[in-house]
């Protein structure tokens, strides 16, 4: 009797103790969602309060079957809002490094209202028109607005005066069903005196302005439904949103409940923030038409505004210098009434002669002109713009970036001759290298026509930048590269890009002896990079040389301050290739974008270091020797990755990093943090298959964190038109685990019916064991054991557990034949002291075979 009870206990044990997923434990109760204000009971909630403060801008719009709210600040407290109630029960919240994304499944597209409250925003759905009881469940009823999706935005709560009418085809509930060509079109109609303004696009030469009273920030995200590239501009106050969809070459404007959302078909379409709102324009050597036509460029240089406003003239440097001295003398003799005009004329002459510091100093002493509030805007613009342009250009070339910030204003887009100066500002400010290189390349011929003092100051820097970071198309705009020693450095870099390694190396070697200290320092750094890229120097040796350049050892003077960032980034890349990503991150810490290292190039160095930490198996593909990796634990690696991720911009590359990071977190047992990483990756990924993979990983993390609702939601979202067989099998396995955790055994078995993977067989065995279907369990676990148990040699702990599991299942099924075969297969190999004793006890219960008599 005692032995029978012992056998029953042994048979039951594997279902709980030997399971691989830990789902036998009771799910953790959901946290009370105190971050949301609610109206009505939990089954009929029709209002959602979003606690975004006055400094946080939002955009709200439809994406397929989901309503999306994007805030331009990370709000971690909103994480507790996931899994709302009533109409908003499907709410999920993803907090990114620089934004918060809310996704609410509402396939019927009810008319929604969004209103600005004192401490946040309130999203409302009608309480009666779109709610009905069905089988005891609260459900959304189809409405005339289904498929439309835009209602009204109001600054007065709780019920705005605006109403909406919508005309659009019904939107499928499938996450991948909507497309740009079937975007819903919404119109707004208003009643009463409290009607709202909506955002109306204002075209200008070269750009379109979307006016916002209190603009927030601009950023880019893929559309959750289609993966399309969305450019989003948020608003910090109620603006009414965009009432109607608009389509243009290269982009379309979506209807919104708040903010501006542009679906960009062309990569050259970008969105930029302005004091008055958001500006949409194109950055390309051959831009698509955005806004009104730009002025013709066929006029003489002397008639263009840059020549007129800067006081440029075709003259020799000596003549320009004499002109400067004459204007300075006139300024000294000027009466108080003539002082301002004389100062501006002297500053123009100083700028044209190459005395940029002098020009900046003169303009700093000259008060800025502010037009009277009653003056005509055209007159005010004509008075201000020459002064603003000269102030900004002088400050830029004098090394005062703050004083040059006016060049970043979008108004200059309307003046093609100032695109070059926007590119120069991007160069010295360390802005995105690809966009900056395009602006510089488009203005390269223009800059070469400038008077010699100005031309010689800016064109070599432009050539070096384009040679370093430009695309082949932008590089071709410099052909032929001007003669002279000022262009030897960009010429060497172009030779390296063309594969002429030895020619480039010799040229750089010669430049290291240049009398120009900055040019020599750049050449010393570039030659190390060239040799490393050509595998002419090992990574550890390259790192050693970079360190010596930074310190000024071996007779070389220390790298100048403005070159140190370039050298430090080179050192970081050498350390990464040498398997030292932790040290590389310490080198990158504190570096800021510069003329030599733009923001995207610095971010790429961080990405490479983090990639090495996350995917440290890349040593072989990089050709590194075994054992060159830093000895870092999983915990150390995840901590370093968490610190470095904010330095990598959102996008597909960061999404890949986050997926690997999430796997590391799962390995370390941090399922909740892993789920957050996977959610962030999904929000940044445009490719449907990559998103489906992320959703499947999110489901795994959610199950380990005992968040079954989140796991099920992730599996529902894991759809892709061409899903690989292995991903489909993992998804089915995950769905079976969710069903198992919910006690839906038959559903779980049906999902696993054709799964012959080790994980699938293991879970099927657990399900049979839980139902005491021992004969079925023996068949499944037996197939698993036939793969996993070697015929000879010592057994691992996992193999011992598997053998004992099969033994207990066979004993419970009274399958003595299987138990006998297992005994012969083990051939006396140990399962561990305790298991050996119990296995012996099981064998004693086995009936004697006829041959034993």
């Amino acid at each position: 009797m005692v032995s029978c009870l012992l056998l029953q206990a042994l048979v039951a044990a594997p279902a709980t103790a030997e399971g691989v997923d830990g789902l036998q434990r009771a799910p953790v109760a959901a946290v009370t969602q105190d971050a949301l204000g609610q109206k009505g009971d939990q089954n009929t909630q029709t209002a959602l309060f979003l606690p975004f403060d006055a400094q946080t801008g939002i955009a709200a719009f439809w994406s397929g079957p989901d309503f999306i709210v994007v805030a331009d600040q990370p709000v971690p407290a909103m994480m507790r809002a996931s899994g709302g109630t009533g109409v908003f029960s499907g709410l999920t919240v993803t907090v990114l490094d620089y934004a918060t994304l809310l996704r609410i499944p509402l396939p019927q597209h009810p008319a929604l209202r969004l209103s600005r409250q004192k401490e946040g925003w309130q999203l409302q759905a009608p309480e009666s028109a779109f709610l009905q009881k069905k089988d005891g469940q609260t459900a959304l009823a189809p409405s005339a607005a289904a498929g439309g999706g835009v209602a009204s935005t109001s600054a007065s709560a709780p019920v705005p005066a605006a109403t909406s009418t919508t005309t659009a085809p019904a939107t499928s509930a499938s996450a991948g069903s909507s497309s740009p060509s079937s975007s819903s079109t919404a119109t707004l109609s208003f009643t009463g005196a409290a009607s709202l303004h909506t955002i109306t696009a204002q075209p200008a030469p070269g750009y379109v302005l979307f006016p916002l009273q209190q603009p927030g920030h601009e950023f880019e995200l893929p559309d959750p439904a289609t993966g399309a590239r969305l450019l989003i501009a948020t608003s910090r106050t109620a603006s009414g949103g965009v009432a109607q969809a608009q389509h243009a070459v290269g982009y379309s404007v979506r209807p919104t409940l708040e903010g501006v959302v542009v679906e960009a078909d062309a990569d050259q379409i970008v969105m930029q923030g302005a004091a008055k709102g958001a500006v949409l324009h194109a950055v390309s050597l051959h831009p698509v038409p955005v806004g009104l036509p730009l002025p013709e460029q066929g006029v003489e240089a002397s008639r263009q505004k840059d020549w007129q406003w800067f006081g440029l003239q075709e003259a020799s440097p000596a003549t320009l210098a004499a002109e400067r001295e004459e204007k300075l003398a006139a300024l000294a003799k000027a009466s108080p009434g003539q002082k301002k005009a004389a100062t501006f004329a002297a500053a123009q002459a100083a700028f044209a002669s190459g005395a940029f510091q002098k020009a900046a100093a003169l303009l700093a002493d000259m008060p800025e002109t502010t037009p009277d509030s009653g003056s005509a805007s055209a007159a005010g613009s004509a008075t201000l713009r020459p002064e603003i342009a000269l102030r900004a250009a002088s400050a830029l070339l004098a090394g005062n970036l703050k004083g040059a910030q006016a060049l970043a204003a979008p108004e200059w887009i309307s003046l093609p001759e100032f695109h070059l100066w926007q590119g120069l500002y991007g160069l010295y400010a360390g802005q995105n290298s690809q966009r900056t290189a395009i602006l510089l390349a488009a203005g390269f011929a223009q800059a070469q026509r400038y008077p010699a003092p100005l031309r010689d100051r800016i064109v070599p820097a432009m050539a070096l930048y384009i040679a370093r970071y430009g695309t082949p198309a932008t590089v071709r705009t410099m052909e032929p590269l001007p003669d002279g020693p000022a262009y030897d450095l960009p010429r060497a870099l172009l030779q390296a890009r063309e594969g002429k390694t030895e020619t480039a190396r010799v040229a750089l070697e010669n430049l290291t002896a240049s009398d120009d200290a900055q040019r020599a320092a750049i050449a010393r750094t570039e030659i190390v990079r060239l040799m490393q890229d050509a595998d002419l120097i090992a990574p550890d040796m390259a790192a050693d040389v970079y360190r010596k350049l930074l310190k000024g050892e071996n007779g070389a003077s220390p790298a100048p301050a403005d070159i140190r960032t370039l050298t430090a980034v080179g050192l970081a890349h050498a350390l990464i290739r040498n398997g030292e990503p932790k040290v590389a991150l310490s080198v990158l810490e504190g570096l800021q974008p510069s003329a030599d290292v733009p923001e995207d190039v610095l971010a790429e160095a961080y990405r490479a270091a983090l990639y090495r930490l996350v995917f440290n198996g890349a040593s072989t593909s990089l050709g590194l020797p075994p054992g060159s990796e830093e000895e870092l634990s999983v915990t150390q690696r995840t901590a370093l990755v968490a610190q470095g991720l904010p330095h990598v911009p959102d996008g597909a590359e960061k999404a890949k990093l986050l997926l690997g990071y999430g796997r590391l977190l799962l390995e370390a047992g941090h399922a909740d943090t892993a789920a957050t990483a996977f959610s962030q990756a999904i929000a940044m990924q445009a490719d449907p298959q990559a998103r489906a993979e992320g959703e499947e990983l999110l489901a795994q993390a959610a199950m380990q964190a005992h968040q079954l609702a989140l796991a099920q939601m992730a599996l529902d979202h894991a759809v892709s038109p061409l899903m690989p067989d292995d991903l489909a099998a993992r998804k089915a396995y995950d769905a079976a685990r969710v069903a198992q955790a919910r006690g839906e055994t038959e559903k779980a078995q049906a999902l696993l019916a054709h799964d012959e993977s080790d994980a699938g067989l293991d879970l099927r065995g657990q399900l049979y064991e839980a139902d005491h279907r021992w004969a079925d369990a023996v068949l499944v676990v037996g197939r698993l054991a036939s793969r996993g148990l070697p015929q000879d040699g010592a057994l691992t702990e996992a193999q011992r557990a598997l053998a004992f599991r099969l033994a207990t299942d066979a004993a419970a099924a009274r399958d003595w034949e299987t138990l006998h075969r297992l005994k012969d297969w083990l051939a006396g190999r140990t399962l561990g002291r305790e298991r050996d004793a119990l296995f012996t006890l099981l064998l004693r219960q086995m009936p004697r075979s006829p041959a034993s008599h």
Side-chain angles (χ1 to χ4, degrees):
M1 182 65 178
V2 174
S3 62
C4 290
L5 292 175
L6 179 59
L7 284 175
Q8 290 291 339
L10 290 173
V11 168
T16 56
E18 303 296 335
V20 297
D21 52 27
L23 289 177
Q24 300 294 338
R25 291 175 288 177
V28 177
V31 178
T32 303
Q33 297 160 17
D34 55 1
L36 295 178
Q38 302 180 6
K39 278 192 174 184
D41 60 44
Q42 290 189 344
N43 292 324
T44 61
Q45 179 189 346
T46 56
L48 194 64
F49 180 73
L50 310 176
F52 300 135
D53 61 27
Q55 300 306 311
T56 302
I58 72 165
F61 57 98
W62 288 99
S63 171
D66 299 333
F67 187 70
I68 307 296
V69 179
V70 179
D72 59 17
Q73 302 286 344
V75 186
M78 285 298 299
M79 289 297 294
R80 291 178 291 176
S82 291
T85 58
V87 176
F88 307 114
S89 60
L91 171 68
T92 58
V93 180
T94 303
V95 179
L96 306 176
D97 287 329
Y98 304 103
T100 303
L101 176 65
L102 280 68
R103 183 174 178 178
I104 310 172
L106 296 171
Q108 298 294 340
H109 280 211
L112 301 175
R113 296 188 182 98
L114 185 65
S115 58
R116 189 73 172 98
Q117 306 290 305
K118 183 178 180 181
E119 297 179 349
W121 295 80
Q122 183 166 270
L123 180 65
Q124 292 176 294
E127 298 190 18
S128 57
F130 305 111
L131 288 174
Q132 65 178 6
K133 292 287 185 177
K134 183 178 180 180
D135 299 330
Q137 299 289 328
T138 302
L140 286 171
S143 70
V150 176
S152 59
T153 309
S154 175
S156 58
V159 181
T163 61
S164 68
T165 60
T166 308
T167 58
T171 303
S172 169
S174 171
S177 61
S178 60
S179 65
S181 61
S182 62
S183 298
S184 59
T185 301
T187 59
L188 300 181
S189 61
F190 300 98
T191 59
S195 62
L196 291 171
H197 297 291
T198 57
I199 302 172
T200 303
Q202 298 179 359
Y207 69 91
V208 174
L209 170 68
F210 296 93
L212 295 166
Q213 290 184 354
Q214 294 186 30
H217 299 288
E218 302 74 35
F219 49 93
E220 180 180 324
L221 281 177
D223 180 17
T226 67
R229 177 173 171 249
L230 299 183
L231 307 178
I232 301 172
T234 62
S235 175
R236 290 182 290 161
T237 188
S239 66
V242 175
Q244 191 167 1
Q246 303 166 32
H247 301 276
V249 178
Y251 71 94
S252 58
V253 184
R254 289 193 177 187
T256 65
L257 208 58
E258 191 55 70
V260 179
V261 177
V262 173
E263 183 174 320
D265 302 320
D267 291 339
Q268 61 179 269
I269 301 294
V270 297
M271 186 175 284
Q272 177 182 349
K276 296 181 180 179
V279 168
L280 192 75
H281 62 109
V283 180
S284 172
L285 292 176
H286 307 286
V288 299
V290 178
L292 301 177
L294 287 166
E296 292 291 334
Q297 291 294 289
V299 300
E300 295 179 8
S302 60
R303 295 174 57 191
Q304 292 182 345
K305 286 185 171 61
D306 53 343
W307 281 67
Q308 294 175 2
W309 293 357
F310 293 161
L312 305 180
Q313 53 182 303
E314 294 180 356
S316 67
T319 301
L320 294 172
E323 177 82 7
R324 179 188 68 218
E325 295 306 318
E326 180 183 333
K327 296 295 184 183
L328 289 172
L331 173 60
K333 299 176 183 178
S335 65
Q338 300 171 327
K339 201 77 170 178
K340 180 175 176 59
T343 300
F344 187 70
Q348 284 182 316
F351 183 87
S353 66
F356 308 114
Q357 296 282 358
K358 183 64 176 179
L362 288 168
L363 291 168
D365 294 334
M366 185 181 75
E368 294 187 37
T369 302
T370 304
D372 296 333
S373 59
S375 63
S377 59
S381 176
T383 302
L384 281 171
R385 296 190 74 158
E387 178 184 317
I388 292 173
L390 186 58
R391 279 181 185 273
S394 299
L396 182 68
L397 299 185
N400 178 11
L401 269 178
K402 184 177 181 181
Q405 284 180 341
L407 290 171
E411 287 82 4
W412 302 110
I413 298 171
S414 295
L415 300 175
E417 55 265 52
F418 281 93
H419 294 181
L420 160 65
W421 289 91
Q422 289 198 303
L424 285 170
Y425 178 80
L427 185 159
Y428 290 110
Q431 293 181 345
N432 180 275
S433 66
Q434 296 306 301
R435 295 175 189 172
T436 299
I438 289 171
L439 293 171
L440 295 176
F444 195 78
Q446 171 191 342
Q448 286 182 292
R449 293 192 293 267
Y450 280 155
L454 179 56
R455 179 191 66 217
D456 294 344
R457 173 67 172 81
I458 64 174
V459 176
M462 295 168 61
L464 177 61
Y465 193 95
I466 296 170
R468 206 181 253 151
Y469 301 120
T471 63
T474 55
V475 166
R476 283 194 293 271
T477 63
M478 300 193 299
E479 297 175 350
L481 199 65
D483 295 327
Y487 300 96
D488 286 344
L489 187 54
R491 188 174 291 108
L493 296 186
L494 290 176
Q495 290 168 343
R497 290 182 60 157
E498 294 168 0
K500 301 174 182 177
T501 303
E502 183 58 21
T503 304
R505 187 191 67 78
V506 172
L508 290 171
E509 284 280 9
N510 292 334
L511 285 169
T512 60
S514 172
D515 293 335
D516 186 321
Q518 184 177 37
R519 193 177 302 164
I522 295 176
R524 282 191 286 268
T525 294
E526 292 289 358
I527 197 171
V528 181
R529 184 174 71 168
L530 171 68
M531 295 180 69
Q532 185 178 357
D533 290 345
D535 290 328
L536 299 175
I537 185 174
D540 58 342
M541 187 178 296
D544 186 54
V545 176
Y546 280 126
R547 287 192 178 102
K548 289 177 179 177
L549 289 177
L550 288 171
K551 296 177 181 178
E553 297 179 3
N554 289 354
S557 57
D562 52 352
I563 308 301
R564 291 185 65 84
T565 301
L566 181 67
T567 309
V569 170
L571 171 59
H573 278 293
L575 290 167
I576 293 166
R577 293 190 64 180
N578 198 46
E580 301 178 78
K582 179 180 178 181
V583 182
L585 287 173
S586 68
V587 171
L588 294 173
E589 186 177 359
L591 295 183
Q592 297 298 322
S594 67
D596 291 293
V597 183
E599 58 188 11
D600 54 317
V601 175
L602 183 57
E604 170 58 23
Y606 272 102
R607 189 203 65 79
L610 299 181
Y611 190 94
R612 190 60 185 262
L613 284 167
V614 170
F615 307 104
N616 64 347
S619 303
T620 303
S621 64
L622 292 173
L624 300 181
S628 63
E629 291 289 343
E630 292 173 296
E631 293 296 330
L632 299 173
S633 66
V634 172
T635 301
Q636 289 174 315
R637 286 159 62 196
T638 54
L640 288 169
V641 174
Q643 293 172 13
L645 277 171
H647 295 282
V648 181
D650 293 346
E653 291 292 337
K654 187 170 184 175
K656 184 176 181 180
L657 267 175
L658 285 164
L659 290 180
Y661 173 53
R663 289 188 176 99
L664 281 179
L665 290 167
L666 281 180
E667 182 182 340
H670 303 302
D672 287 316
T673 313
T676 299
F678 293 140
S679 297
Q680 292 173 334
I682 295 163
M684 298 177 195
Q685 186 57 261
D687 180 66
Q689 184 173 315
R691 288 207 308 270
E693 181 180 359
E695 296 282 10
E696 190 274 330
L697 288 169
L698 174 58
Q700 289 187 36
M703 282 184 283
Q704 289 193 27
H706 308 292
Q707 300 180 38
L708 297 183
L710 176 59
Q712 186 61 62
M713 188 177 300
L715 292 172
D716 292 341
H717 288 155
V719 293
S720 173
L722 299 173
M723 184 177 292
D725 292 341
D726 60 335
L727 180 57
R730 294 201 306 271
K731 179 182 174 183
Y733 171 73
D734 294 336
R737 291 176 63 194
V738 173
Q740 176 202 29
R742 289 176 168 174
E744 301 169 349
T745 304
E746 291 185 4
K747 178 180 178 181
Q749 290 287 9
L751 289 166
L752 293 172
H754 304 291
D755 189 346
E756 290 296 315
S757 66
D758 287 356
L761 291 174
D762 178 76
L763 183 55
R764 288 169 67 186
Q766 291 182 47
L767 294 169
Y768 285 134
E769 290 162 351
D771 282 353
H772 292 191
R773 294 171 59 179
W774 304 115
D776 292 329
V778 169
L779 291 175
V780 172
V781 178
R783 290 206 299 278
L784 193 61
S786 66
R787 299 177 186 175
L789 299 181
Q791 188 170 0
D792 50 38
L795 302 177
T796 65
E797 176 56 28
Q799 290 167 344
R800 294 174 181 179
L802 177 59
F804 187 68
R805 177 183 179 185
L806 177 58
T808 55
D809 287 353
R814 306 186 71 78
D815 185 349
W816 309 117
E817 183 179 356
T818 296
L819 195 62
H820 183 76
R821 284 201 305 270
L822 177 61
K823 172 181 176 293
D824 293 341
W825 185 266
L826 293 174
R829 287 177 290 178
T830 181
L831 301 180
R833 179 179 299 178
E834 184 176 348
R835 289 196 187 103
D836 284 345
L838 294 173
F839 187 53
T840 300
L841 183 58
L842 291 176
L843 292 172
R844 288 176 181 171
Q845 307 302 316
M846 186 172 63
R848 294 178 180 274
S849 64
S852 61
H853 290 285

